[in-house]
Amino acid sequence: MSKVRYGIIGIGNMGSGHANTLKSGAIAGAELTAVCDGIESKRAWAREKWSDVAVFEDSASMIASGLVDAVIVACPHYDHPSEAIQAFAQGMHVLIEKPAGVYAKQVREMNDAAAASGRKFGIVYNQRMNPLYRKLRELISSGELGEIRRTNWIITNWYRPQAYYDSGTWRATWAGEGGGVLINQCPHNLDLWQWTIGMMPTRIRAFCQNGKHRNIEVENDVTAYAEYANGATGVFITSTADAPGTNRFEVTGERGKIVIEDGKMTFWRLREPEPEFNARNRTPFAGPECWKIEIPDQGPSPEHAGIIRNFTDAILSGTELVAPGEEGIRGLTISNAIHLSSWIDGWVDLPLDEELHLAELNKRIATSSYRKEAPAADASKPADLTGTF
């Protein structure tokens, strides 16, 4: 194969963005050959915009056409796993938009299908391409920060007014979206939280407030506390109603702390590891010598184009994936655990009890304000949704 022919499932905001990236010629070895969408107005728009791209009503027809080698799944959250599973069964390489899905059980099934297919599987975690977070991961994995002791991420610059939530009946509903700020705005942050430090929590206690300062049924204000196997702790705070918001990620280790804020990274580096200083020091109120280091600008982030380029290279030449699709379950598991902790008002241990989470989610779907005109969903899973967003 000398070129990857892409088909896009769903041409809403993200799908059309990926289409424009592919059509721009920015991705060597890739071309857009087909798109599909269940909404006629979207299909008409696509035909007018890209006269040389085949347009289909559904993904099955697009895949069966023989015009595509890989698909980008950019439909609503609940459909990501089912669309991916169908594509793997037909021999497609699959790149899914975030989140990997709404609940871990369906994502685990998708991961199994990917493994059985032998095809490339990626997720659009474009923030893994951001040089700041790549540098943070490098400094931690190399041991420069020492063993992690604490993480704090306050990510409240996801401001969304009521008009945003009113722009679609599916928005901020349990049946339409499966959650609020955690499932829509924060998947990248939750992924980076575990990816940069290289470990998952062992248990989580969280508090979610639904519809705080907004007329919505899902969470838009969250405070979560995490514990790790090595004794480290973490706090994750997010909101869509703070103005102005904050984006500050702080990681403390035995050799100092690193802070990412306002697009800059600062490393407060201890001259010696804190445990060593503490063991030899005999002076009350003394502290280890610390150097403030401004990490040089790491350059621009290639964002979404970088992920598509990396995925294309993986198909054509076996390049290692920056964001393997199988890893989408990690950030989603943290999201599910935060939800579940708030729902049951208690601690949640990881590995996650996926059946309990799904049962609690289905309770909220049953009373959700969103109603799609379709046959009732099987009681074992949330309603299947179609369309674009």
Side-chain angles (χ1 to χ4, degrees):
M1 184 187 299
S2 60
K3 184 170 286 191
V4 180
R5 301 172 302 165
Y6 279 96
I8 297 179
I9 301 173
I11 46 174
N13 292 334
M14 295 311 304
S16 59
H18 296 320
N20 287 330
T21 297
L22 289 166
K23 291 297 290 180
S24 73
I27 313 300
E31 64 177 330
L32 178 66
T33 55
V35 298
C36 68
D37 200 289
I39 299 175
E40 171 54 33
S41 60
K42 294 286 188 181
R43 297 197 299 274
W45 173 83
R47 292 189 190 98
E48 182 176 351
K49 185 172 181 63
W50 306 301
S51 60
D52 59 340
V53 174
V55 179
F56 296 87
E57 183 174 353
D58 58 77
S59 56
S61 299
M62 182 179 75
I63 292 170
S65 71
L67 294 174
V68 299
D69 308 304
V71 296
I72 298 177
V73 179
C75 53
H77 308 152
Y78 277 118
D79 287 341
H80 290 182
S82 60
E83 290 287 1
I85 290 170
Q86 173 186 252
F88 284 129
Q90 298 303 314
M92 296 288 103
H93 302 285
V94 178
L95 178 62
I96 59 168
E97 255 298 339
K98 60 83 182 171
V102 175
Y103 54 102
K105 182 180 178 181
Q106 66 172 175
V107 172
R108 193 171 300 283
E109 293 168 357
M110 174 176 64
N111 286 355
D112 290 343
S117 74
R119 297 306 191 202
K120 297 297 182 183
F121 179 32
I123 185 168
V124 187
Y125 276 152
N126 55 287
Q127 286 304 303
R128 288 195 183 189
M129 303 301 297
N130 189 319
L132 275 174
Y133 297 113
R134 293 173 72 84
K135 185 65 175 179
L136 175 61
R137 176 178 162 89
E138 174 197 324
L139 289 170
I140 292 173
S141 64
S142 68
E144 282 294 323
L145 193 59
E147 185 175 39
I148 301 301
R149 290 183 162 183
R150 185 186 309 279
T151 65
N152 290 280
W153 201 338
I154 177 168
I155 173 69
T156 58
N157 62 344
W158 288 121
Y159 183 78
R160 295 294 186 271
Q162 186 65 44
Y164 165 82
Y165 294 114
D166 293 343
S167 66
T169 60
W170 58 274
R171 285 196 187 279
T173 61
W174 293 113
E177 224 174 347
V181 64
L182 291 173
I183 204 74
N184 193 321
Q185 283 79 38
C186 281
H188 292 300
N189 310 111
L190 293 172
D191 172 62
L192 292 173
W193 193 19
Q194 61 81 28
W195 183 70
T196 55
I197 67 173
M199 57 184 181
M200 287 280 288
T202 55
R203 67 173 189 161
I204 288 175
R205 182 68 174 96
F207 304 88
C208 299
Q209 293 178 284
N210 298 335
K212 187 174 184 179
H213 308 305
R214 298 290 184 270
N215 182 26
I216 58 175
E217 66 187 36
V218 297
E219 87 290 343
N220 66 325
D221 192 288
V222 176
T223 299
Y225 171 80
E227 294 183 347
Y228 298 84
N230 73 338
T233 61
V235 175
F236 187 89
I237 298 172
T238 190
S239 171
T240 61
D242 287 9
T246 299
N247 185 355
R248 177 185 172 93
F249 187 23
E250 179 175 314
V251 184
T252 302
E254 292 179 331
R255 299 192 65 95
K257 72 176 180 181
I258 298 175
V259 175
I260 296 178
E261 187 172 20
D262 297 329
K264 298 179 181 179
M265 179 186 294
T266 305
F267 189 173
W268 279 268
R269 178 69 148 78
L270 301 185
R271 184 175 182 180
E272 61 183 318
E274 188 280 331
E276 293 180 14
F277 169 84
N278 187 57
R280 69 169 179 78
N281 176 64
R282 296 294 179 268
T283 305
F285 303 105
E289 183 177 344
C290 182
W291 308 325
K292 182 180 179 181
I293 304 168
E294 301 290 350
I295 303 298
D297 186 353
Q298 300 296 300
S301 175
E303 298 289 332
H304 298 88
I307 287 290
I308 298 175
R309 185 177 300 114
N310 172 248
F311 188 70
T312 301
D313 291 343
I315 295 171
L316 295 177
S317 56
T319 299
E320 183 178 358
L321 287 170
V322 171
E326 293 85 355
E327 294 183 7
I329 199 169
R330 297 178 186 173
L332 180 66
T333 294
I334 296 174
S335 173
N336 285 178
I338 292 173
H339 271 145
L340 183 58
S341 174
S342 182
W343 294 340
I344 66 173
D345 193 21
W347 285 95
V348 169
D349 293 327
L350 278 71
L352 176 71
D353 185 336
E354 296 175 3
E355 293 292 349
L356 177 59
H357 169 267
L358 179 56
E360 291 293 328
L361 174 61
N362 274 326
K363 289 179 184 177
R364 286 150 183 84
I365 290 171
T367 59
S368 175
S369 63
Y370 177 77
R371 288 291 179 271
K372 181 175 182 250
E373 294 182 5
D378 183 272
S380 66
K381 67 174 185 177
D384 224 12
L385 303 176
T386 56
T388 60
F389 63 105

